[in-house]
Amino acid sequence: QKRMSQRDVFFLHFHELRLAGSQHSFAGNFGGERGSLEEQWAKGVRMFHFTVFSKGDDLVIGSTKEGDQVANHLPGNPLSFTLSEWLGKLREMGREVAGKHLPVVIFLDLKTEEMAKQIVSLKGGLSMVNWVVSSVFENDLFTPSDLET
């Protein structure tokens, strides 16, 4: 199959894209060589996965609990465990090359029914998750109608 140029990619529909991704994007080199968010971005990763937990009035990330396997010590990663700071880092990297990169896909994993119930019970349900995402990315988000073919 012929490899497409970067220019050709911008004429594809969203459902036609194939994006490189990482699971537990926050984990750095734990269990592999994925590196910091900046290193993953430089390698072409555009699908990022975060496991989300509620902590009081905030959303935090980790593998099995807040901070678990989070490589916040790596240069190029936020120092905190808050979801908003990690999403903010992705937004910052995207803004540096605005209009010159593929769409970024973010998977927010509520992992178990118990964790999902924690999120749903937090400040009006999933509206809290939506609020965090939309407050970080503002007008940089695609809506479902933007992706229609």
Side-chain angles (χ1 to χ4, degrees):
Q1 188 174 20
K2 181 183 171 198
R3 188 174 176 98
M4 300 183 79
S5 73
Q6 183 76 13
R7 184 173 168 254
D8 293 334
V9 170
F10 289 102
F11 295 103
L12 292 174
H13 293 284
F14 185 77
H15 72 276
E16 297 173 308
L17 293 174
R18 291 185 185 189
L19 303 172
S22 63
Q23 182 178 20
H24 291 166
S25 303
F26 51 77
N29 293 329
F30 186 87
E33 293 299 321
R34 65 181 76 80
S36 70
L37 287 183
E38 286 183 356
E39 291 171 318
Q40 292 175 64
W41 185 274
K43 293 175 187 174
V45 171
R46 293 299 181 267
M47 292 173 60
F48 297 89
H49 166 264
F50 298 96
T51 303
V52 180
F53 301 85
S54 64
K55 180 181 180 185
D57 290 341
D58 211 345
L59 300 176
V60 294
I61 60 171
S63 182
T64 59
K65 62 182 180 183
E66 176 192 1
D68 182 37
Q69 298 180 19
V70 176
N72 60 338
H73 62 282
L74 290 178
N77 281 349
L79 296 175
S80 77
F81 303 128
T82 61
L83 176 64
S84 60
E85 288 199 32
W86 286 74
L87 295 180
K89 181 63 179 179
L90 292 177
R91 181 176 188 226
E92 173 189 314
M93 291 185 301
R95 285 258 169 121
E96 289 174 3
V97 290
K100 298 177 185 166
H101 67 84
L102 295 170
V104 174
V105 176
I106 299 168
F107 290 96
L108 300 179
D109 182 2
L110 306 182
K111 202 156 183 159
T112 67
E113 191 173 319
E114 181 181 322
M115 285 182 249
K117 285 179 184 175
Q118 280 183 317
I119 297 295
V120 169
S121 68
L122 181 66
K123 278 196 174 178
L126 291 174
S127 61
M128 177 61 174
V129 175
N130 290 334
W131 181 83
V132 168
V133 172
S134 62
S135 67
V136 169
F137 289 102
E138 298 172 338
N139 295 325
D140 293 339
L141 293 172
F142 287 111
T143 66
S145 62
D146 294 331
L147 304 177
E148 291 177 359
T149 57

